[in-house]
Amino acid sequence: MELAYYSDYAVRLVNTEEPARNKDSLTSVEAVRELFGASSQAARRATDSDVTRFRSVRARLRAVFAAADAGEETQAVDLLNSLLLEFPVSPQISGHDYRDEDGRPKWHMHLADHPSNATAGYAAIAAMGLAFHLTEHGVDRLGLCQAAPCRNAYLDTSTNRSRRYCSDRCATRANVAAYRARKRLETERSASTGRTADTSQATTPSTER
């Protein structure tokens, strides 16, 4: 398992909130547990107290994406480093659940957390995964959806670093909105040009004798 895989933990947590729409799905311990995944043993440690703690970590992770999206590379790294220092992990070699044709373990790197609570464990994995993604692919691969009012976080995995939206749905909505805006502008310009022409004809003195 690639360590950058854990960066999805950060995306999932950040996107539990849509500030511009005043929506927040992180409102219960059940919602916290869902972030870990149904089969995760770590989810069982979650309590009602983790809801508030998760929201705090979410705000800090969103700040990382926001800084990266704004081109503030150093700020994004500094914010992420502060999370890494506060929520450390230990890399370990693991072979669980992965076997080759001969039944031998497929060894891979795994992040072992040492949490005092569920939030600390999740934050540690999310921050480390995001750090691996950032250092491997670049800060500009972290972004916030440009389809207002969405602003969901995403990780750009495109070959030409061209991603601007969190999903195909948002990309389609933004393209439709841009098309309609262009058509309105064309209509307004056409109407304005017509009015200008009419005015010009009305004010031009006649040269007939």
Side-chain angles (χ1 to χ4, degrees):
M1 182 182 297
E2 296 180 1
L3 294 180
Y5 158 83
Y6 290 107
S7 58
D8 287 338
Y9 278 61
V11 174
R12 287 204 301 270
L13 177 54
V14 171
N15 291 346
T16 59
E17 181 185 31
E18 297 181 67
R21 293 186 172 122
N22 197 29
K23 292 184 178 180
D24 188 347
S25 63
L26 193 58
T27 57
S28 66
V29 66
E30 288 76 18
V32 168
R33 289 170 179 160
E34 287 179 4
L35 287 169
F36 286 95
S39 61
S40 174
Q41 294 183 352
R44 300 173 187 173
R45 295 196 299 261
T47 67
D48 290 332
S49 299
D50 284 299
V51 176
T52 300
R53 288 193 289 256
F54 259 72
R55 286 177 172 176
S56 176
V57 171
R58 179 180 65 188
R60 295 171 66 182
L61 285 171
R62 176 173 283 278
V64 174
F65 279 93
D69 188 67
E72 300 292 339
E73 184 170 342
T74 300
Q75 182 181 4
V77 170
D78 288 344
L79 291 170
L80 188 51
N81 272 336
S82 68
L83 284 164
L84 292 170
L85 288 172
E86 185 173 344
F87 303 107
V89 296
S90 300
Q92 292 182 343
I93 300 174
S94 175
H96 63 80
D97 298 333
Y98 294 90
R99 300 281 173 173
D100 62 18
E101 295 179 354
D102 298 323
R104 295 175 300 185
K106 290 185 177 180
W107 301 113
H108 60 277
M109 293 301 296
H110 177 76
L111 296 181
D113 56 67
H114 307 283
S116 56
N117 53 64
T119 303
Y122 193 99
I125 292 174
M128 183 61 75
L130 199 57
F132 274 105
H133 192 95
L134 184 151
T135 54
E136 182 175 352
H137 302 292
V139 177
D140 57 341
R141 292 287 188 163
L142 279 61
L144 293 174
C145 186
Q146 299 302 302
C150 178
R151 301 301 282 168
N152 271 351
Y154 66 83
L155 298 171
D156 185 359
T157 56
S158 64
T159 56
N160 58 356
R161 300 173 183 264
S162 61
R163 184 171 179 179
R164 298 175 58 208
Y165 308 104
C166 69
S167 64
D168 291 340
R169 180 181 179 182
C170 276
T172 299
R173 190 172 74 247
N175 289 335
V176 169
Y179 171 78
R180 290 174 176 172
R182 288 196 301 271
K183 296 301 289 184
R184 283 197 301 270
L185 182 60
E186 291 173 1
T187 300
E188 291 170 358
R189 286 177 174 173
S190 178
S192 176
T193 300
R195 287 194 298 271
T196 301
D198 291 343
T199 301
S200 177
Q201 291 176 2
T203 57
T204 300
S206 176
T207 57
E208 295 181 359
R209 299 297 182 185

